[in-house]
């Protein structure tokens, strides 16, 4: 086993952090806050860094062993009849990639949180939850079977509830516990997807008699090649039909964890938690679970695509449905971001949109492109969330400065409202510099990381024939334009112009413990594209592929091909993967770059120029003409037609569809109220009248029987003699009856 014997430590280190902070961390902080916070925060961070060191060790171990996957068995978990599930760690290039992202970016978030959470009364509890989140996320990505993955899947759902609702006692002006409500919404919305996961695993075990990844995939390929039918008692179904159901259920599960239509509603509200939580959930951990699930199950999705099986009432295959759901989510969330003023809410809807890009990619069979964007997104989105936390931190200190000694119970200042910001590039130069890098990377500006990963997805969609690919390409292209625009809008509102509130005037830079992780993430956002830098001409690609080059070009492609079994099945001719270009598609790159630059310029130099002078003014986006339209006779049509229509569309999507329909009606009325009605029915009817009725009824029957027997015990000898006589007569009658009857 060698170096792979260290693999269990990647789970043990975060668990040690949980035990330390959970058992004694609070006492350290209570005894001496300054020293105790260092012990609590740095111990948790060191455990995260130790897990990262193990992931790096496993990375080099795989390279040294020619990328051969290893299974480290810890113990036999379930072994009942045909149902065998080990607790084992799967070490391959896909799982190690996720380990590196989770532990690397997560460690930086831990360190940043030491400064951000300074002074919080529940400091050690926060780091207990962070390490616990780490522990379950690593179970999710290291398990060698679906059931172990599901343990991590449920664990991160629990931790998200704890972290989003960390400040559960905070209320808004109306007395509503928004943080607690957001945590409950995340928990309930994820349970919907989790039910789909349970059904998918049940169907998987029924079909393949295993939940371990490799046996399931091997059986699926064997059954596909032989044309084997799947039997359900007296019924039978084709393998393609059964896998369509399984993969569609996986999509529903992924929609819950990775926030896709219609289960995305929890993610924007997750901003209620502390900013490090937003970065951890939105960048490197929980929301990537759905993408990892689909990539890990690539064999099942590609067999469905190859079999031609479709979802009957839709007329499309489950992989096509994945791609369309992802593309629609990317555009839908991008449009909603136009209407947001909370700096973290803009980034939240941006996360939903970027997750849509990843889901669309894996649905189209571009598994490496989806993973590439997952990695680069972890870099620049963690940077942006932590950067927004730095901005909020500066605004809060600025507000504290102006309100010191002048407490106003009616003060409704919101440090996250971009309308109260402005001019922060002079007050917080380091935060501004790194935030600019993250924004440009997210917008897809060359040569930053987001450009390469996003364009690889667009190139895949554009080079494959078919209506689905065409629809996905245009939806994602428009979504990319929206991304650049709302990030330009956010940059302008936050950092440029004049301060629109005294808090912004007195804001100051965050401490080094918060800014240094931002600098590291900014460097990764700049250099991350080197992970899978494409070839710049087709001949160069062919020459390199023949040499099987493991250099910087397509490094991630070469790395992941050892874990994505569909590549090998495609080489053997068993399936036919959609074509993914591995050289630069200059037409796609030029179009996306021009659109990104135009969107940024339109936001910064046209719509938001210098006309927003105070926090109370109307958003210029709601009525701004564009100069080239103003000089044409269409100006009236533009101002009275296009602008109002766009505003109504954005408002309709943001408030009517997103909030009134999905948030209030679907979540509050359908999901929550249905759950409450069922819970009340289970409590009042099933439990009290059913279970309690049976138990109480059995007790009453025993009491009635005992009462009757007690009456026969009179204490008189003649009564007992009579009983013996009657008993004797009854026994004689029983034994002699057959004789007389015969």
């Amino acid at each position: 086993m060698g170096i792979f014997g260290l693999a269990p430590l990647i789970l043990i280190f975060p668990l040690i952090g949980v035990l330390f902070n959970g058992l004694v961390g609070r006492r350290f902080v209570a005894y001496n806050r300054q020293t105790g916070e260092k012990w609590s925060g740095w111990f948790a961070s060191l455990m995260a860094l130790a897990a990262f060191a193990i992931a790096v060790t496993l990375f080099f171990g795989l390279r040294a062993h020619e990328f051969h996957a290893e299974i480290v068995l810890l113990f036999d978990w379930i072994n009942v009849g045909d149902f065998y599930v080990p607790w084992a760690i799967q070490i391959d290039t896909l799982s190690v990639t996720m380990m590196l992202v989770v532990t690397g970016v997560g460690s930086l978030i831990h360190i940043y949180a030491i400064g951000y959470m300074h002074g919080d009364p529940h400091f050690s509890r926060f780091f207990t939850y962070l390490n616990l989140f780490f522990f379950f996320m690593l179970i999710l990505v290291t398990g060698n079977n679906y059931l172990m993955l599901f343990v991590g899947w449920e664990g991160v759902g629990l931790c998200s509830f704890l972290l989003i609702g960390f400040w559960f006692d905070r209320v808004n002006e109306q007395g509503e516990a928004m943080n607690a409500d957001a945590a409950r919404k995340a928990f309930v919305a994820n349970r919907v997807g989790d039910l789909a996961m349970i059904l998918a695993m049940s169907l998987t075990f029924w079909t393949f008699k295993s939940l371990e990844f490799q046996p399931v995939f091997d059986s699926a390929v064997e059954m596909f090649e032989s044309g084997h039918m799947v039997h359900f008692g007296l019924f039978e179904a084709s393998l393609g039909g059964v896998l369509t159901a399984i993969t569609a259920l996986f999509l529903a599960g992924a929609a819950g964890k990775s926030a896709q239509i219609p289960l995305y509603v929890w993610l924007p509200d997750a901003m209620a938690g502390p900013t490090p939580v937003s970065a951890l959930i939105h960048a490197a951990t929980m929301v990537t679970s759905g993408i990892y699930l689909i990539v890990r199950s690539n064999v099942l999705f590609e067999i469905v695509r190859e079999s031609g099986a479709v979802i009957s009432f839709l007329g499309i295959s489950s992989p096509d449905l994945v791609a369309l759901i992802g593309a629609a989510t990317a555009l839908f969330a991008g449009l909603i971001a136009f209407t947001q003023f909370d700096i973290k809410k803009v980034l939240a809807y941006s996360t939903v949109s970027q997750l849509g890009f990843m889901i669309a990619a894996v649905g189209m069979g571009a598994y490496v492109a989806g993973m590439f964007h997952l990695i680069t997104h972890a870099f620049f989105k963690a940077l942006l969330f932590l950067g927004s936390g730095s901005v909020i931190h500066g605004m809060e200190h600025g507000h504290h400065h102006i309100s010191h000694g002048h407490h106003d119970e009616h003060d409704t200042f919101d440090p996250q409202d971009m309308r109260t910001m402005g001019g922060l590039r002079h007050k917080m130069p380091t935060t501004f510099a790194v935030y600019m890098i993250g924004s440009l990377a997210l917008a897809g500006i060359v040569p930053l990381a987001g450009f390469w990963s996003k364009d690889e997805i667009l190139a895949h969609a554009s080079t494959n024939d078919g209506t689905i690919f065409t629809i996905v390409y245009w939806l994602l292209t428009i979504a990319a334009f929206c991304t650049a625009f709302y990030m330009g809008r956010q940059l302008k509102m936050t950092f440029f112009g004049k301060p629109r509130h005294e808090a912004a005037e007195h804001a100051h830079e965050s401490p080094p413990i918060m800014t240094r992780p931002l600098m590291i993430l900014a460097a990764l956002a700049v250099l991350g594209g080197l992970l899978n830098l494409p070839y710049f001409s087709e001949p160069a690609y062919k020459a390199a592929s023949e040499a099987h080059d493991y250099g910087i070009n397509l490094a991630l492609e070469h790395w992941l091909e050892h874990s994505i079994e569909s590549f090998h099945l495609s080489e053997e001719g068993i399936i036919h993967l959609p074509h993914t270009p591995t050289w630069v598609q200059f037409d796609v790159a030029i179009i996306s770059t021009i659109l990104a630059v135009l969107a940024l310029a339109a936001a910064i130099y046209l719509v938001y120029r210098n006309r927003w002078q105070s926090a109370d003014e109307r958003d210029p986006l709601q009525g701004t003409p564009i100069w080239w339209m103003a000089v044409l006779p269409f100006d009236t049509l533009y101002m009275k037609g296009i602008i109002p229509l766009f505003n109504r569309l954005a408002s309709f999507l943001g408030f009517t569809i997103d909030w009134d329909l999905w948030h209030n009606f679907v979540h509050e009325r359908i999901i929550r109220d249905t759950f409450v009605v069922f819970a009340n029915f289970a409590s009042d009817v099933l439990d009290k009248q059913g279970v309690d009725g049976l138990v109480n009824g059995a007790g009453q029957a025993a009491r009635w029987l005992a009462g009757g027997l007690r009456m026969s015990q009179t204490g008189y000898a003649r009564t007992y003699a009579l009983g013996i006589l009657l008993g004797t007569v009854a026994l004689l009658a029983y034994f002699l009856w057959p004789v007389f009857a015969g």
Side-chain angles (χ1 to χ4, degrees):
M1 186 176 294
I3 198 171
F4 299 113
L6 298 174
L9 292 176
I10 204 168
L11 300 178
I12 293 173
F13 283 132
L15 189 57
I16 293 174
V18 172
L19 295 175
F20 174 81
N21 270 306
L23 297 177
V24 300
R26 181 173 58 86
R27 297 182 181 180
F28 277 90
V29 176
Y31 180 75
N32 185 315
R33 174 161 288 278
Q34 184 175 0
T35 305
E37 283 190 0
K38 291 180 180 179
W39 272 96
S40 178
W42 277 108
F43 191 89
S45 301
L46 287 173
M47 291 300 99
L49 287 168
F52 176 64
I54 297 298
V56 172
T57 303
L58 296 177
F59 168 81
F60 286 110
L62 275 178
R63 290 185 64 90
H65 287 77
E66 299 180 349
F67 310 100
H68 178 68
E70 293 285 341
I71 304 294
V72 179
L73 177 64
L74 301 184
F75 54 87
D76 290 337
W77 184 17
I78 301 174
N79 192 358
V80 180
D82 294 334
F83 191 24
Y84 172 69
V85 180
W87 191 276
I89 296 176
Q90 178 157 328
I91 306 169
D92 59 13
T93 56
L94 178 58
S95 64
V96 169
T97 299
M98 293 298 296
M99 292 182 213
L100 289 169
V101 173
V102 170
T103 58
V105 176
S107 297
L108 294 174
I109 295 171
H110 271 71
I111 296 170
Y112 173 96
I114 296 174
Y116 189 87
M117 298 300 292
H118 171 64
D120 191 279
H122 304 291
F123 187 91
S124 60
R125 176 162 64 88
F126 179 79
F127 280 94
T128 302
Y129 292 165
L130 279 192
N131 273 171
L132 187 63
F133 199 112
F134 241 52
F135 174 70
F136 281 118
M137 188 66 198
L138 288 170
I139 288 177
L140 191 155
V141 300
T142 59
N144 84 320
N145 58 79
Y146 284 109
L147 195 58
M148 192 172 166
L149 179 150
F150 189 67
V151 171
W153 188 278
E154 288 294 278
V156 295
L158 168 64
C159 292
S160 69
F161 171 79
L162 297 174
L163 286 167
I164 294 169
F166 182 76
W167 289 323
F168 62 87
D169 52 348
R170 294 188 178 183
V171 296
N172 60 11
E173 299 171 21
Q174 290 75 38
E176 299 171 332
M178 299 300 292
N179 297 49
D181 289 343
R184 282 193 292 269
K185 180 176 289 187
F187 197 77
V188 172
N190 275 275
R191 297 293 75 74
V192 178
D194 295 348
L195 174 60
M197 280 291 294
I198 293 172
L199 295 175
M201 289 191 298
S202 301
L203 193 53
T204 299
F205 180 75
W206 183 284
T207 305
F208 303 111
K209 301 300 183 282
S210 177
L211 287 177
E212 294 181 78
F213 294 138
Q214 202 55 50
V216 166
F217 302 152
D218 290 343
S219 298
V221 173
E222 181 181 347
M223 293 169 66
F224 176 67
E225 289 185 294
S226 64
H228 183 80
M229 300 293 287
V230 182
H231 295 275
F232 299 93
L234 300 176
F235 304 97
E236 65 177 16
S238 66
L239 179 65
V242 174
L243 289 182
T244 294
I246 292 174
T247 51
L249 290 168
F250 278 154
L251 169 60
K257 278 291 184 288
S258 296
Q260 300 296 288
I261 293 173
L263 298 178
Y264 71 93
V265 294
W266 67 270
L267 196 57
D269 285 2
M271 297 300 95
T275 296
V277 173
S278 305
L280 192 65
I281 291 177
H282 285 234
T285 55
M286 181 171 166
V287 295
T288 62
S289 304
I291 291 90
Y292 171 75
L293 170 68
I294 296 176
V295 175
R296 177 61 77 186
S297 307
N298 65 90
V299 172
L300 307 183
F301 281 88
E302 292 308 316
I303 288 178
V304 172
R305 194 192 311 272
E306 187 69 23
S307 69
V310 298
I311 302 172
S312 58
F313 61 92
L314 294 176
I316 58 175
S317 67
S318 56
D320 288 342
L321 180 62
V322 173
L324 289 174
I325 289 290
T329 303
L331 179 57
F332 181 70
L335 289 172
I336 294 173
F338 279 68
T339 66
Q340 304 303 308
F341 295 109
D342 186 311
I343 187 172
K344 288 171 64 177
K345 277 286 184 74
V346 174
L347 298 177
Y349 281 108
S350 170
T351 297
V352 177
S353 181
Q354 297 307 304
L355 290 169
F357 272 86
M358 301 173 211
I359 291 288
V362 296
M364 293 186 294
Y367 298 106
V368 174
M371 287 298 299
F372 187 23
H373 198 52
L374 182 153
I375 295 168
T376 61
H377 179 263
F379 297 156
F380 55 72
K381 188 51 66 70
L383 169 61
L384 289 170
F385 268 114
L386 298 184
S388 72
S390 180
V391 170
I392 296 166
H393 188 265
M395 291 289 290
E396 287 176 337
H397 279 267
H399 183 252
H400 177 73
H401 175 82
I402 63 176
S403 61
H404 184 66
H406 302 282
H407 177 70
D408 182 4
E409 63 180 9
H410 300 294
D411 187 3
T412 59
F413 172 74
D414 182 359
Q416 298 181 195
D417 193 336
M418 296 186 297
R419 290 171 291 191
T420 64
M421 299 177 187
L424 292 181
R425 74 183 190 278
H426 301 302
K427 309 294 181 181
M428 310 179 70
T430 302
T431 300
F432 165 66
V434 296
Y435 205 94
M436 176 69 78
I437 291 172
S439 298
L440 296 179
L442 174 58
I445 300 299
V446 65
L448 303 180
F451 167 80
W452 301 107
S453 58
K454 191 179 293 185
D455 267 40
E456 187 170 334
I457 298 173
L458 294 174
H460 179 92
S462 68
T463 55
N464 282 280
D465 297 328
T467 304
I468 299 296
F469 288 95
T470 301
I471 293 173
V472 169
Y473 171 74
W474 284 109
L475 289 176
L476 294 182
T477 299
I478 299 171
F481 177 86
C482 293
T483 301
F485 185 90
Y486 63 67
M487 289 312 299
R489 172 180 180 261
Q490 188 178 66
L491 283 171
K492 186 71 173 182
M493 293 176 68
T494 304
F495 295 102
F496 291 90
K498 297 180 180 180
R500 294 183 292 276
H501 192 281
E502 285 188 74
E505 187 69 49
H506 293 88
H508 61 78
E509 187 59 87
S510 299
I513 198 170
M514 293 174 63
T515 55
R516 285 170 185 165
L518 296 178
M519 295 176 186
I520 297 173
L521 289 167
L524 292 172
V526 172
L527 303 175
L530 296 177
L531 288 173
N532 207 45
L533 194 67
Y535 299 102
F536 283 85
S537 67
E538 186 172 351
Y541 157 70
K542 289 181 177 178
S545 64
E546 290 171 1
H548 209 59
D549 177 28
Y550 284 92
I552 199 66
N553 286 345
L554 301 174
L556 188 65
E557 182 93 19
H558 293 314
W559 168 258
L560 287 178
E561 69 181 8
H562 300 281
S563 297
I564 300 178
E565 193 172 340
S566 294
F567 288 165
H568 308 294
L569 297 177
S570 179
E571 291 175 359
E572 296 170 8
I574 298 175
I575 63 172
H576 298 84
L577 272 173
H579 173 63
T580 300
T582 48
W583 58 92
V584 172
Q585 298 293 296
F586 287 101
D587 54 343
V588 175
I590 291 171
I591 291 172
S592 64
T593 301
I594 290 175
L595 288 176
V597 171
L598 286 176
L600 285 169
I604 296 174
Y605 296 108
L606 295 179
V607 177
Y608 286 89
R609 287 188 294 189
N610 292 315
R611 291 180 296 162
W612 203 344
Q613 302 298 327
S614 71
D616 298 327
E617 289 185 23
R618 186 186 184 195
D619 186 351
L621 181 63
Q622 297 179 0
T624 303
I626 297 177
W627 68 270
W628 54 268
M629 290 297 296
V631 299
L632 296 176
F634 299 112
D635 181 42
T636 301
L637 173 63
Y638 176 76
M639 289 301 299
K640 295 186 178 180
I642 298 177
I643 283 288
L645 285 176
F646 175 79
N647 290 335
R648 289 175 184 173
L649 175 62
S651 297
F652 177 74
L653 292 177
F655 298 107
T656 304
I657 298 296
D658 179 50
W659 193 258
D660 293 339
L661 177 60
W662 292 121
H663 285 260
N664 291 341
F665 179 71
V666 174
H667 178 270
E668 303 292 342
R669 298 293 173 266
I670 297 180
I671 299 177
R672 187 198 64 183
D673 291 355
T674 302
F675 175 79
V676 170
V677 169
F678 177 76
N680 290 335
F681 174 76
S683 173
D684 298 336
V685 179
L686 296 182
D687 185 40
K688 290 182 180 179
Q689 299 180 22
V691 177
D692 286 356
L694 289 174
V695 174
N696 295 336
Q700 291 175 357
R703 178 181 296 177
W704 176 83
L705 180 61
L709 291 175
R710 182 173 57 83
M711 293 177 63
S712 66
Q713 304 302 308
T714 63
Y716 296 111
R718 58 181 179 271
T719 304
Y720 300 144
L722 178 61
I724 293 172
L725 176 63
L726 294 175
T728 303
V729 172
L731 288 173
L732 288 173
Y734 174 78
F735 287 112
L736 294 175
W737 173 257
V739 177
F740 292 107

